[in-house]
Structures are given as C-alpha cells and as structure tokens.
C-alpha cells in the first residue's frame, strides 16, 4: 500500500518534507509582512472601515472580509500588519488544504509538485500580502473542495455538514462562490447520481443556504445594493485592443506561462475522459485508482468547465484576472497530473516553476523600490501611495469639532484609517441611490447647512460649499501620474448635476 494512505489524520500529512516547506514559507512571509512598509490601498482601508461596523452585509461584498479584519485588529491593534495578516493565513490555509488532499489520494510526489507550483503562482503569492476578499475566498473554496472530496469518499451527515458550512462561508465571502453549489450539483448529477439522491447531500445545500440567508436578508433590506453593484460590471461596453492584450497576457504571467497553456490544451483533451467516466468505465479500475479519477474530474469540473465560457465572455466584457482566480486554484491538480507523465513535459513543469519563482522574488523586492523598472512597475503601486501624506495634511486642520466630508470613498477610507482619531467620515452622494458603503451608514443630507471640512480630488473651489475657505492642498507625482487633493472649510449645500 502507498505510504500516503498509511497516514490517518490531517496533521499526519504535515509531518513531511512538504509540511516543513509550508512552515518555512509561512514563517518567511510572516516576517516579511511585519516589515512591509507599503501603505494600505484604499480598498484595504475601506474593508478595515467595514470591520468597525460589523454586519451581515456591505454595499459591494458579503461580510467575511470585515469579520476577519475585525478579529485580526482586535488581536494585534489597528495597523497595516493586522489588516493584512488574514490574507497570509488564508493563502497558507488554502495551499495546505490542497497539499493534504493531493497527498492523501495521489501520493507525496504529486503533492509536493502541486505544493511548489501553488506556492509560487504569482497572483496567489501577491495576495499573501494584500487583504481583499480574494484570499479568504481561496481558503474557503479550498476548504469546500477538501470536505467535498471527503464526502464523496465517505458520504455521512458529518462531512455533508462540514461541506455545507464551508460553502456557506464561501458565499459570505464573495459572489463568485455561488458557483460552488452549482458546480457541485453539476458534478453529482452527471457523475454521482447515487450520492445526489442521499439525504446527507441535501444537507450540503441546505446548510450553505442557511448560512447565506442573513446576507440575503440584509440585501433585501437595503434594496439589493450588492446585486446592483455586481450588475454594473456587466454594463461595460465592448473593450478595446489594449484590454485584450493586457488581460490575456496577464493570465500567462499571473498563473504561470506553461501552466496556462497546458490548462487549455489538456482542458479540451480531458473531455474524452468525461465520456469514459460518464459511461462507468472507471468502475473497472481498482478502488483507489477509480477514486483518483473521480477527484481529477471534480477539480476539472470546478476549473476548466467554468473558465472556458468566462474566457469567451471576456472577449465582450472587461474582466479582471482575479475574478476567475478560484477556478484556476482548482485547476492545477489535473493539469500537473498529466504534465508530469512524460520527461519532456516534466522539464516544462520545472521551467514554469523557475519563471514563477523569479516573478515572486521580484514581487518581494518591488515594494521597497516600486520604480525598479520605471513607470511600468511603479504604477502597480499607484493605489497604495499618497494616503498617509493626505491624512497628515487633513490632520493638521482637524480638531474634531467639524465633520469631514469627502468627494470620493477612497479618500474617506484612507482618512478614516490613517488619521489618528480614525474619524467617521461622510461622502458626497450625487445619485438617487447609494454608491458605496458610506452612503448606507451616513447620509450627506445630515450635513446640509452645516459647516464642514471638505476634502476633494483636485485643487479648485468646490461647488458644494458656501463661503468656501481653502485650508490646504497637496500634489504628488508618481511616475508621471499625479494625485492632487485640497482641503476646504465652508457650509455644505450640495449642488446636483442638471
């Protein structure tokens, strides 16, 4: 019997070379994160501000990102390290779960190869140090797959409940997680109908829905703002040539050049295996080999099948590479399984690893010297820079007596985090509906006729103030791209667009 199957508990698989590698990698990332001097992006500070007002939902996302930041900042204080620590824990947790799953059913060789690739996928590596909704989604996505595999092996109420809880937590993290129960239904319907009919399988979907229900109710109370926000992404026009070049080339850079190519190549070839599995041919195999094929197919269903239509859709609507990230997380196993069968493709695996490892090392150096490659690398950090300086400018004039009103939510979130008083900030709303979380918390109409401190983009007299007095202004230039803000005092009147 394979040594991997002699291990009984989850932790047993971590007493291995791969487990030691995970520990060393996490330790190195942890201390790097502690020393990282990169300011929070306005999205990170925005999610931190959410964590000060715990709820079942927020304007553009479910609540998990705020909950995790709340726990971390409660433990380690309000600082950049505490805000970002959940990202590192999430990425490490996702990779660990997948390592153990592959080790358990495919042996240590493939598990180590899979571990090394996942550890140095550039986009996963970068998300170890930036706290957005994506790192937690990757963790709960991996957790859902882990328990779903265990459930397929041993259908029971326990594993049904754990799978449902994992999917429910995923749904509370990002809208993309709606694909988890849908893809599970697809897989079970076409390949495991006996399991689909079990009461324990119903428990998976019922538990996930039950966990998601409070967020659904929150959205109902707030006019389904999350749905409106998501819908806006699909109202964008047909993208231009520059978008196509940027998006499709970034897939090779962010997910690994060799991997992405073979993802597409093996993705189409694997379709013939689906016909064999559907016909029941795998039942002639030994139990262990048959279950391996089931797991490969499960990961294929959770990756290539949804990615292919999304890549086609990206021809007509602008996509961000991180939107399809969890599907790629599910894709590395079956690609590597075939890639490591031949000596020639093994060499390509090593080449892919060397390229991605080099990119990850480069990512470690760039925060200390963003302009290392001039404008191209510098502008990668544009959304992180300038917020401390802006907060220092406003803080010189802030006594706590006047409310702070901002023209944009990125200004508001950055001031809320970087000003020592962490003020509750207002944002101007010129539309008939809320456009960000600040509009749900605090209506700017409350300030009409009152004197305010107004912070805006640009250096010009604001049309929303009467008797406006300019207090300060700041201009910053980052690799030819300017950031300009000004601070004013006056009576808020709000002039709407005609």
């Amino acid at each position: 019997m394979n040594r991997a199957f002699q291990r009984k508990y989850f932790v047993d698989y971590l007493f291995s070379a791969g487990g030691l590698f995970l520990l060393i990698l996490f330790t190195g990332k942890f201390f790097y994160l502690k020393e990282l001097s990169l300011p929070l992006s306005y999205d990170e500070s925005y999610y931190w501000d959410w964590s000060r007002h715990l709820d079942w939902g927020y304007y553009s996302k479910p609540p998990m990102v705020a909950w995790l930041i709340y726990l971390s900042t409660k433990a380690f204080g309000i600082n950049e390290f505490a805000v970002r620590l959940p990202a590192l824990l999430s990425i490490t947790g996702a990779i660990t779960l997948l390592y153990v799953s592959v080790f358990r059913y495919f042996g240590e060789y493939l598990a180590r190869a899979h571990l090394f690739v996942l550890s140095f996928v550039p986009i996963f590596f970068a998300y170890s140090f930036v706290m957005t909704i994506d790192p937690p989604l990757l963790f709960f996505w991996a957790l859902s797959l882990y328990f779903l595999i265990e459930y397929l092996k041993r259908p029971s109420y326990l594993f049904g409940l754990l799978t449902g809880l994992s999917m429910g937590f995923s749904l509370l993290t990002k809208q993309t997680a709606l694909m988890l129960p849908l893809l599970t239904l697809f897989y079970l319907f076409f390949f495991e109908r006996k399991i689909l009919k079990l009461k324990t399988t119903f428990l998976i979907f019922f538990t996930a829905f039950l966990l998601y229900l409070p967020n659904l109710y929150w959205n109902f109370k707030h006019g389904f703002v999350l749905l409106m926000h998501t819908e806006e992404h699909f109202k964008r026009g047909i993208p231009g040539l520059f978008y196509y070049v940027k998006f499709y080339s970034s897939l090779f850079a962010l997910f690994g050049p060799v991997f992405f190519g073979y993802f597409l190549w093996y993705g189409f070839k694997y379709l013939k295996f689906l016909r064999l599995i559907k016909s029941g041919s795998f039942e002639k195999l030994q139990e262990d080999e048959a279950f391996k094929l089931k797991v490969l197919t499960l990961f294929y269903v959770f990756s290539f099948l949804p990615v292919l239509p999304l890549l086609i859709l990206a021809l007509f609507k602008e996509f961000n590479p991180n939107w399809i990230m969890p599907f790629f997380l599910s894709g590395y196993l079956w690609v590597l399984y075939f890639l490591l069968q031949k000596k020639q493709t093994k060499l390509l695996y090593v080449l892919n690893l060397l390229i991605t490892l080099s990119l990850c090392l480069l990512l470690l150096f760039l925060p200390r010297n963003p302009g290392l490659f001039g404008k191209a690398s510098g502008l990668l950090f544009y959304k992180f820079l300038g917020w401390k300086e802006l907060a220092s400018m406003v803080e010189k004039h802030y006594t706590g007596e006047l409310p702070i009103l901002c023209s944009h939510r990125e200004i508001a979130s950055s001031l809320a985090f970087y000003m020592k008083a962490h003020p509750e900030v207002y944002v101007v709303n010129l539309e008939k509906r809320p456009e960000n979380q600040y509009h749900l918390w605090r209506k700017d109409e409350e300030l009409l006729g009152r004197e305010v401190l107004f912070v805006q983009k640009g250096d010009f007299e604001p049309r929303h103030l009467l008797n406006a007095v300019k207090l300060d202004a700041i201009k910053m230039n980052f690799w030819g791209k300017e950031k300009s803000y000004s601070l004013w005092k006056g009576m808020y009147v709000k002039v709407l667009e005609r």
Side-chain angles (χ1 to χ4, degrees):
M1 183 180 289
N2 193 305
R3 286 182 59 195
F5 293 97
Q6 296 173 3
R7 300 171 188 261
K8 187 176 181 181
Y9 300 108
F10 182 95
V11 71
D12 294 340
Y13 294 89
L14 299 179
F15 285 97
S16 60
L20 179 61
F21 172 79
L22 276 166
L23 178 62
I24 294 171
L25 184 64
F26 171 76
T27 303
K29 285 182 175 181
F30 180 86
F31 285 105
Y32 177 84
L33 184 61
K34 279 189 70 69
E35 299 300 318
L36 184 62
S37 58
L38 186 68
L40 296 184
S41 70
Y42 51 77
D43 283 331
E44 291 176 292
S45 56
Y46 189 38
Y47 299 142
W48 166 81
D49 217 354
W50 291 5
S51 75
R52 297 199 290 173
H53 306 272
L54 293 183
D55 208 335
W56 280 102
Y58 299 92
Y59 172 79
S60 58
K61 302 293 183 294
M64 184 60 70
V65 65
W67 294 355
L68 295 176
I69 293 174
Y70 172 83
L71 293 174
S72 184
T73 51
K74 277 293 179 183
F76 300 102
I78 299 174
N79 54 68
E80 294 157 353
F81 169 77
V83 171
R84 288 169 169 159
L85 181 60
L88 173 56
L89 295 174
S90 296
I91 294 296
T92 304
I95 293 173
T96 302
L97 286 162
L98 291 170
Y99 169 69
V100 171
S101 291
V102 177
F103 197 158
R104 179 171 283 159
Y105 297 111
F106 294 88
E108 190 170 8
Y109 173 71
L110 184 60
R112 279 206 307 263
H114 189 250
L115 170 63
F116 294 151
V117 168
L118 284 184
S119 296
F120 300 113
V121 173
I123 196 167
F124 299 160
F125 192 84
Y127 272 115
S128 299
F129 309 110
V130 180
M131 184 55 182
T132 69
I133 51 174
D134 292 302
L137 175 64
L138 292 177
F139 172 74
F140 289 116
W141 190 280
L143 190 66
S144 299
L145 284 173
Y146 176 84
F147 284 124
L148 181 57
I149 292 168
E150 295 303 304
Y151 178 76
L152 294 176
K153 185 75 173 178
R154 297 180 295 278
S156 66
Y157 282 106
L158 174 61
F159 285 119
L161 178 64
L162 291 173
T163 305
L165 288 172
S166 304
M167 289 187 182
F169 287 134
S170 300
L171 290 169
L172 291 173
T173 304
K174 191 175 181 179
Q175 300 91 305
T176 309
L178 287 168
M179 292 300 295
L180 280 169
L182 293 177
L183 291 171
T184 301
L185 270 174
F186 179 93
Y187 174 81
L188 293 176
F189 180 80
F190 283 100
F191 305 107
E192 299 278 4
R193 290 195 186 179
K194 290 181 181 179
I195 294 180
L196 180 60
K197 296 175 183 178
L198 298 175
K199 292 180 181 179
T200 48
T201 302
F202 171 78
L203 182 62
I204 294 175
F205 303 104
F206 178 74
T207 304
F209 174 74
L210 206 61
L211 264 180
Y212 186 58
L213 196 57
N215 180 253
L216 200 61
Y217 178 66
W218 182 94
N219 272 282
F220 172 75
K221 285 198 309 179
H222 292 85
F224 290 99
V225 291
L226 178 61
L227 183 62
M228 289 190 294
H229 170 78
T230 305
E231 187 182 17
E232 288 173 359
H233 293 303
F234 295 95
K235 289 182 178 178
R236 300 171 179 175
I238 302 295
L241 179 62
F242 177 73
Y243 157 77
Y244 293 127
V245 174
K246 181 181 176 183
F247 176 77
Y248 289 99
S249 62
S250 70
L251 296 180
F252 287 90
L254 295 175
F255 296 104
V258 174
F259 165 79
F260 182 69
Y262 274 94
F263 177 85
L264 298 176
W265 174 253
Y266 288 132
F268 288 106
K269 291 188 71 174
Y270 200 87
L271 290 171
K272 67 178 181 181
F273 285 97
L274 292 186
R275 291 197 295 271
L276 291 173
I277 295 166
K278 186 73 172 62
S279 66
S281 300
F282 70 91
E283 294 175 359
K284 300 173 185 177
L285 300 173
Q286 293 183 353
E287 183 181 352
D288 291 344
E289 292 302 314
F291 194 73
K292 280 184 184 180
L293 193 55
K294 287 183 180 182
V295 175
L296 285 175
T297 302
L298 178 72
F299 276 70
Y300 178 83
V301 167
F302 274 70
S303 56
F304 185 78
L305 292 189
V307 163
L308 183 61
L310 288 173
L311 290 179
I312 295 171
L313 183 61
L315 292 170
F316 306 98
K317 297 291 180 182
E318 287 193 21
F319 265 53
N320 293 326
N322 65 305
W323 291 1
I324 55 178
M325 189 162 52
F327 305 118
F328 278 109
L329 181 70
S330 312
Y332 286 86
L333 172 61
W334 58 269
V335 175
L336 287 176
Y337 183 82
F338 294 108
L339 197 63
L340 296 174
Q341 299 293 329
K342 301 176 182 178
K343 287 184 179 180
Q344 299 91 330
T345 49
K346 277 184 184 179
L347 291 175
L348 289 174
Y349 159 79
V350 174
L351 175 63
N352 186 87
L353 189 58
L354 290 173
I355 293 171
T356 56
L357 176 59
S358 300
L359 289 172
C360 290
L361 291 174
L362 183 61
L363 286 171
L364 293 178
F365 285 110
L366 278 179
R368 291 187 177 274
N369 187 8
L372 185 63
F373 298 102
K375 184 176 181 179
S377 62
L379 290 180
L380 292 173
F381 297 89
Y382 182 78
K383 66 188 297 185
F384 296 88
L385 303 176
W387 306 118
K388 285 185 177 181
E389 292 81 355
L390 175 61
S392 296
M393 181 195 80
V394 176
E395 201 153 36
K396 289 187 295 184
H397 304 275
Y398 180 68
T399 63
E401 295 176 0
L402 297 181
I404 297 177
L405 177 65
C406 300
S407 62
H408 295 79
R409 66 99 171 161
E410 57 264 36
I411 298 175
S413 63
S414 301
L415 292 180
F417 183 83
Y418 280 111
M419 289 179 67
K420 293 176 184 176
H422 301 303
E424 302 281 359
V425 185
Y426 291 78
V427 177
V428 173
N429 184 4
L430 300 178
E431 301 294 333
K432 294 181 179 179
R433 63 179 183 85
E435 291 190 305
N436 56 64
Q437 185 62 35
Y438 293 105
H439 295 160
L440 296 178
W441 284 332
R442 296 177 284 277
K443 297 186 181 300
D444 60 339
E445 282 84 357
E446 298 171 7
L447 302 179
L448 289 173
R450 293 176 56 186
E451 192 173 46
V452 300
L453 291 178
F454 184 65
V455 189
Q456 67 173 3
K457 284 185 179 179
D459 187 3
F460 52 87
E461 185 170 339
R463 58 196 178 94
H464 301 301
L465 296 187
L466 280 179
N467 304 319
V469 177
K470 182 178 175 181
L471 300 179
D472 216 332
I474 186 172
K475 284 186 179 181
M476 296 165 283
N477 191 292
F478 300 104
W479 302 280
K481 195 170 181 179
E482 187 178 86
K483 283 187 176 183
S484 174
Y485 305 96
S486 55
L487 173 64
W488 300 76
K489 183 167 72 171
M491 183 182 294
Y492 183 47
V493 291
K494 189 160 80 165
V495 179
L496 296 176
E497 298 280 356
R498 292 186 178 182

